[in-house]
Amino acid sequence: MKLFFLGAGNSAKIILEELENSIEKAYFFDKDKEKIEILKKRFENIDYADIEDLNNLNVDFVIEVASVEALEEYGIKILEMNKNLVILSTGAFADKIFRYKFVKKLNNSNSKVYIASGAVGGIDLINAVHNKLNKITLTTRKPPKSFGLDIDKEKIIFEGNSIEAIKQFPKNVNVAVTLSLAARDFEKVNVRIIADPNVERNIHIVEINSKVGNYKFKFENFPSKNPKTSYLAPLSIVSLLKNTYSNFKIGG
């Protein structure tokens, strides 16, 4: 497969490691070009390409593993080029105006957009019962350093809906927005964020209340080298890409 990466950080490195034998060519755009040079020392068939070059490149997918800000800046431009886009930084969709413009452009393009499940599972279940949901509650517990804090006791640093959560913690709670997108309703997802010095992993508890049944998932994720990102997040993109090319698909 041929891929164009928006972002050349640790998540991109993990994806390259997992798909190394399946990638024919990988292009990278990152404002920090040194990150791309580091990847080129480890992997073959890697080149820098400006976002403006994308229109003339034959790629199967654009993989966004950069940031909320990067998706807001380049997401619509990618759709204008009719490229298929895989998104990790779903927090951008907490912005109602951006979400409206993005969906409007998508509906008038030949692009397909794939939302990675990121640091949690259960997205297939939420998709299945979204029109029968009452509410979803997400409790996120992470080490204080993930939030730039130095504390010795656990502290609730946020309680509210997913939109407000992503505004205050854009690099930490993409999960909240991913759940909201699966639910098709941002108002039905309540978020509680806890900085806990007694945990080393990123922990997410997802509680789903619906007319179909009640469900509870707990995810204790090891962080990647970037403490703000769970190791599972880039692996969810790997799984999505593999499933796209598979003739035997599991899950809804």
Side-chain angles (χ1 to χ4, degrees), residues 9 13 26 33 63 74 80 87 98 106 119 139 148 167 170 176 200 240 245 247:
K13 176 176 176 291
K33 292 184 180 181
I63 312 295
Y74 302 113
E80 290 173 343
I87 294 172
F98 172 77
L106 176 61
T139 302
K167 285 180 180 178
E200 296 181 357
L240 188 156
Y245 284 98
N247 293 327

Side-chain angles (χ1 to χ4, degrees), residues 76 85 133 151 199:
I76 292 175
L85 175 60
L133 281 172
I151 55 177
V199 301

Side-chain angles (χ1 to χ4, degrees), residues 8 12 57 66 69 94-95 114 137 144 148 157 185 204 206 241 245:
L57 296 176
E69 293 79 10
D95 184 326
Y114 302 82
T137 301
I157 59 175
D185 191 338
H204 302 289
V206 180
L241 292 173
Y245 284 98

Side-chain angles (χ1 to χ4, degrees), residues 47-62:
D47 279 322
Y48 169 84
D50 191 88
I51 198 75
E52 300 296 339
D53 299 331
L54 177 57
N55 197 41
N56 298 316
L57 296 176
N58 179 23
V59 296
D60 300 302
F61 295 94
V62 177

Side-chain angles (χ1 to χ4, degrees), residues 50-112:
D50 191 88
I51 198 75
E52 300 296 339
D53 299 331
L54 177 57
N55 197 41
N56 298 316
L57 296 176
N58 179 23
V59 296
D60 300 302
F61 295 94
V62 177
I63 312 295
E64 180 280 310
V65 283
S67 65
V68 166
E69 293 79 10
L71 183 60
E72 289 176 336
E73 184 173 355
Y74 302 113
I76 292 175
K77 182 184 291 289
I78 291 167
L79 299 184
E80 290 173 343
M81 299 178 187
N82 292 308
K83 302 298 183 181
N84 297 325
L85 175 60
V86 178
I87 294 172
L88 189 61
S89 301
T90 55
F93 295 112
D95 184 326
K96 187 176 181 179
I97 295 174
F98 172 77
R99 190 166 71 247
Y100 172 80
K101 290 181 178 179
F102 185 93
V103 172
K104 183 178 180 181
K105 181 61 67 175
L106 176 61
N107 290 337
N108 290 284
S109 78
N110 294 320
S111 301
K112 291 184 179 180

Side-chain angles (χ1 to χ4, degrees), residues 105-190:
K105 181 61 67 175
L106 176 61
N107 290 337
N108 290 284
S109 78
N110 294 320
S111 301
K112 291 184 179 180
V113 172
Y114 302 82
I115 302 295
S117 56
V120 293
I123 301 301
D124 54 345
L125 186 149
I126 297 172
N127 275 326
V129 306
H130 75 271
N131 60 343
K132 296 174 177 60
L133 281 172
N134 295 320
K135 69 174 181 177
I136 298 174
T137 301
L138 167 67
T139 302
T140 291
R141 187 181 295 267
K142 292 186 177 184
K145 64 182 180 181
S146 296
F147 306 103
L149 297 176
D150 183 13
I151 55 177
D152 55 14
K153 293 182 179 179
E154 74 170 56
K155 180 180 180 180
I156 298 173
I157 59 175
F158 178 82
E159 284 188 281
N161 65 39
S162 60
I163 294 176
E164 290 303 318
I166 198 68
K167 285 180 180 178
Q168 293 190 38
F169 303 96
K171 296 182 179 179
N172 284 279
V173 288
N174 283 315
V175 168
V177 176
T178 300
L179 294 172
S180 300
L181 291 171
R184 280 75 159 176
D185 191 338
F186 281 74
E187 299 299 325
K188 286 186 177 179
V189 180
N190 299 311

